[in-house]
């Protein structure tokens, strides 16, 4: 912290906010290739949480790359900064008591490790949406693979830029053998206990 930045002692902490909401807050981080199904699955998870009365917010390319990160490219250094800023935003969201979902390719292992440091280990749930590059290219939801093959896009993950798959994700979803609803249920089941706020928790 800068030497002239002195934190103020606010009386309402994350503990009070959790108590008010009646549930814990943490980050559900979806990683995987473009078109793997991150946003599709996150969307269904968020609807299910909403129906349970859980306060949520989803961070994705649409609300981040067009706003806070609109100055960043897809170069390795900017990708790292992209993820760092998202993690800092997520950290504030968690402090605010919101279950935060984040759907980003996030291809580098070291960047995902850094998220864990920023939001704290216990608040980080890594969800690997594992879909083969062949299937992602076949789906080509945004037409990006076609463009990448034509050489119109640089640094396309899976084509001209690497994807470092998580080795020990908290949850792995193989979308070629799992429906969207099954995937969402698997995630809900995993976080069920984590969501419960106990009155004496800090
Ligand atoms: P991403 O957010 O990872 O870039 P999207 O969610 O935008 O990917 O796109 C994934 C596409 O794959 C969607 O069109 C979705 O309907 C399709 N899809 C097919 N099967 C599945 C599945 N089992 N899980 C997730 N998405 C699937």
């Amino acid at each position: 912290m800068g030497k002239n930045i002195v934190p103020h002692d606010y009386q309402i902490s994350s503990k009070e906010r959790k108590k008010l909401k009646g549930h814990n807050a943490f980050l559900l981080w979806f990683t995987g290739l473009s078109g793997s199904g991150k946003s599709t699955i996150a969307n269904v998870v968020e609807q299910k949480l909403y129906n349970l009365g859980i306060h949520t917010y989803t961070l994705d390319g649409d609300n981040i790359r067009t706003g806070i990160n609109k100055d960043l490219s897809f170069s390795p250094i900017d990708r790292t900064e992209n993820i760092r800023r998202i993690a800092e935003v997520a950290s504030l969201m968690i402090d605010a008591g919101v279950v935060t979902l984040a759907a980003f390719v996030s291809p580098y292992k070291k960047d995902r490790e850094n998220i864990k440091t920023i939001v704290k280990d216990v608040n980080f749930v890594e969800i690997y949406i594992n879909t083969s590059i062949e299937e992602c290219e076949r789906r080509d939801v945004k037409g990006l693979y076609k463009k990448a093959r034509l050489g119109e896009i640089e640094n396309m993950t899976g084509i001209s830029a690497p994807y470092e798959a998580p080795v020990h994700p908290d949850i792995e979803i193989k979308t070629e053998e799992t429906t969207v609803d099954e995937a969402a249920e698997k995630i809900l089941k995993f976080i069920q206990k984590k969501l419960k706020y106990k009155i004496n928790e800090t």
Side-chain angles (χ1 to χ4, degrees):
M1 200 173 286
K3 76 175 181 343
N4 291 325
I5 300 178
V6 181
H8 191 85
D9 188 16
Y10 287 102
Q11 294 307 299
I12 302 299
S13 70
S14 76
K15 188 177 171 181
E16 279 73 35
R17 290 188 282 266
K18 283 181 196 170
K19 207 184 288 176
L20 187 68
K21 290 186 187 296
H23 60 76
N24 277 326
F26 44 85
L27 172 63
L28 297 176
W29 187 273
F30 295 76
T31 174
L33 295 169
S34 175
S36 59
K38 301 180 296 297
S39 329
T40 304
I41 295 168
N43 187 22
V44 175
V45 170
E46 186 170 30
Q47 288 171 61
K48 287 180 188 277
L49 288 172
Y50 179 88
N51 290 335
L52 291 170
I54 309 286
H55 289 215
T56 58
Y57 192 75
T58 297
L59 302 170
D60 70 7
D62 290 342
N63 53 30
I64 292 288
R65 282 239 179 230
T66 57
I68 191 170
N69 286 356
K70 70 175 172 193
D71 57 325
L72 300 178
S73 74
F74 287 85
S75 69
I77 196 165
D78 276 9
R79 279 183 186 248
T80 294
E81 177 61 8
N82 181 46
I83 300 303
R84 187 194 69 78
R85 288 188 202 167
I86 296 162
E88 291 290 356
V89 171
S91 177
L92 295 176
M93 293 261 175
I94 295 167
D95 198 36
V98 176
V99 173
T100 307
L101 299 92
F104 295 92
V105 176
S106 46
Y108 303 125
K109 216 175 283 173
K110 69 167 174 28
D111 292 350
R112 297 193 302 266
E113 282 301 314
N114 194 31
I115 306 166
K116 224 188 273 187
T117 310
I118 293 171
V119 303
K120 294 199 198 98
D121 227 345
V122 292
N123 292 325
F124 182 69
V125 179
E126 186 174 48
I127 305 166
Y128 175 28
I129 306 299
N130 185 354
T131 307
S132 67
I133 182 75
E134 292 78 19
E135 174 64 10
C136 292
E137 195 164 358
R138 195 190 60 73
R139 292 179 188 167
D140 207 3
V141 193
K142 298 174 184 161
L144 296 177
Y145 288 100
K146 192 169 173 217
K147 282 192 189 163
R149 292 288 181 201
L150 293 169
E152 292 170 13
I153 299 180
E154 280 177 17
N155 296 318
M156 179 71 192
T157 304
I159 305 286
S160 48
Y163 178 77
E164 298 170 2
V167 182
H168 299 296
D170 296 296
I171 306 168
E172 179 173 358
I173 311 281
K174 293 185 175 167
T175 71
E176 284 149 279
E177 34 190 88
T178 315
T179 67
V180 174
D181 200 66
E182 283 166 357
E185 283 301 327
K186 186 172 174 180
I187 294 165
L188 261 287
K189 196 165 170 219
F190 183 91
I191 63 172
Q192 208 172 24
K193 269 202 200 129
K194 221 176 158 56
L195 273 172
K196 291 218 172 76
Y197 175 72
K198 293 181 212 81
I199 219 75
N200 291 323
E201 232 169 274
T202 48

